[in-house]
């Protein structure tokens, strides 16, 4: 069994199916040794995770929503490459649906960042942006896109 697949099993993590695009775009593009994964929205086992941070949704709930985005990012990368052991996480860009006075976007996106390090180890450490958005598609709480390096 591949190292990352074994790590996922050890952590009790089952990846979701790679989500289909919701509009006129592709879920990922590989160019050279880089894999760009389109933004993945917060979608858990119960469906879309909707809400606005700072207005009825707290940081812990937001971080869990970001973790689900991370699972979808990994699922897309697996669909694109097949072998997760060939991947290094280069950059995450996280968007948080939040009120104008909410300032904990980094703590929310940590839900995804922590997952990447948990799963990929040192290869999961990455550059990152965490920004606020006035709204996100379908009212979701979080959307995150990723760039991976392929060995």
């Amino acid at each position: 069994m591949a190292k990352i697949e074994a790590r996922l099993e050890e952590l009790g993590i089952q990846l979701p199916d790679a989500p289909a695009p919701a509009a006129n775009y592709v879920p990922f593009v590989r160019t050279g040794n880089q894999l760009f994964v389109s933004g993945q929205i917060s979608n858990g086992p119960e469906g879309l995770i909707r809400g606005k941070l700072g207005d009825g949704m707290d940081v812990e709930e937001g971080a869990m929503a970001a973790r689900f985005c991370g699972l979808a990012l990994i699922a897309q990368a697996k669909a694109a490459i097949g072998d997760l052991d060939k991947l290094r996480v280069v950059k995450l860009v996280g968007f948080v649906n939040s009120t104008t006075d909410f300032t904990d976007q980094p703590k929310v996106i940590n839900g995804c960042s922590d997952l990447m390090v948990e799963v990929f180890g040192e290869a999961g450490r990455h550059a990152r942006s965490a920004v606020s958005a006035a709204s996100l598609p379908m009212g979701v709480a979080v959307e995150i896109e990723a760039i991976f390096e392929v060995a």
Side-chain angles (χ1 to χ4, degrees), residues 2 10 88 150-151:
E10 175 185 312
R88 177 180 186 278
V150 183

Side-chain angles (χ1 to χ4, degrees), residues 57-75:
M57 186 173 223
D58 65 29
V59 170
E60 291 76 24
E61 292 169 311
M64 183 56 68
R67 184 176 176 90
F68 282 114
C69 293
L71 292 172
L73 288 167
I74 296 170

Side-chain angles (χ1 to χ4, degrees), residues 28-107:
F28 51 79
V29 171
R30 181 174 178 179
T31 180
N33 69 340
Q34 291 188 319
L35 176 67
F36 294 81
V37 179
S38 295
Q40 301 297 299
I41 59 176
S42 50
N43 192 10
E46 309 294 316
L48 294 177
I49 302 169
R50 294 184 168 103
K52 187 172 281 286
L53 278 291
D55 183 16
M57 186 173 223
D58 65 29
V59 170
E60 291 76 24
E61 292 169 311
M64 183 56 68
R67 184 176 176 90
F68 282 114
C69 293
L71 292 172
L73 288 167
I74 296 170
Q76 291 292 6
K78 183 177 180 181
I81 303 301
D83 183 356
L84 294 173
D85 288 348
K86 294 181 177 181
L87 298 176
R88 177 180 186 278
V89 185
V90 175
K91 183 165 186 183
L92 299 178
V93 180
F95 303 91
V96 179
N97 184 356
S98 60
T99 60
T100 58
D101 60 343
F102 184 81
T103 59
D104 284 331
Q105 292 83 359
K107 291 179 182 176

